[in-house]
C-alpha cells in the first residue's frame, strides 16, 4: 500500500498544477511538463529529467524488493 501511495503522490500532476502558483514551489512533474511547448518539445531535456525523476522510485524498489516479494508470497501460501 505504501508503494502505491508513493507512486501516486509522485505523479500527481493535476493537483500540483491546480494548487501551486509559484515557480519556487514547482514539482518535478510540473517542471517536466513545462518542457512541452505548443510547437516544440525539448526531447533531450525531457528524457533526462524523466530518468532523474524515476530514480528514487527505482532505488526504493531495489532496496525493498526482498520485503515486497516476501509480503506478496506470504499471502499466497496456505498455512
Amino acid at each position: 500500500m505504501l508503494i502505491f501511495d508513493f507512486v501516486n503522490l509522485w505523479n500527481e500532476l493535476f493537483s500540483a498544477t491546480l494548487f501551486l502558483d509559484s515557480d519556487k514551489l514547482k514539482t518535478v512533474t510540473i517542471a517536466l511538463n513545462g518542457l512541452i511547448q505548443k510547437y516544440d518539445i525539448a526531447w533531450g531535456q525531457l528524457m533526462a529529467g524523466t530518468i532523474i525523476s524515476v530514480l528514487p522510485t527505482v532505488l526504493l524498489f531495489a532496496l525493498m524488493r526482498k520485503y515486497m516479494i516476501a509480503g506478496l508470497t506470504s499471502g499466497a501460501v496456505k498455512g
Side-chain angles (χ1 to χ4, degrees), residues 4-78:
F4 291 123
D5 287 340
F6 176 77
V7 171
N8 230 359
L9 289 172
W10 193 259
N11 294 321
E12 202 48 51
L13 175 67
F14 181 68
S15 295
T17 305
L18 277 177
F19 299 122
L20 298 177
D21 56 353
S22 171
D23 285 344
K24 212 174 185 182
L25 299 174
K26 275 186 182 178
T27 61
V28 175
T29 52
I30 293 175
L32 290 175
N33 193 35
L35 295 173
I36 301 172
Q37 303 297 320
K38 187 173 183 178
Y39 296 111
D40 186 35
I41 299 175
W43 286 109
Q45 295 168 345
L46 185 64
M47 293 301 121
T50 302
I51 290 172
I52 291 170
S53 70
V54 169
L55 278 178
T57 308
V58 171
L59 289 175
L60 180 68
F61 176 75
L63 293 173
M64 302 301 287
R65 128 179 111 218
K66 178 174 78 171
Y67 302 108
M68 288 177 50
I69 293 172
L72 289 169
T73 57
S74 69
V77 178
K78 226 177 187 180

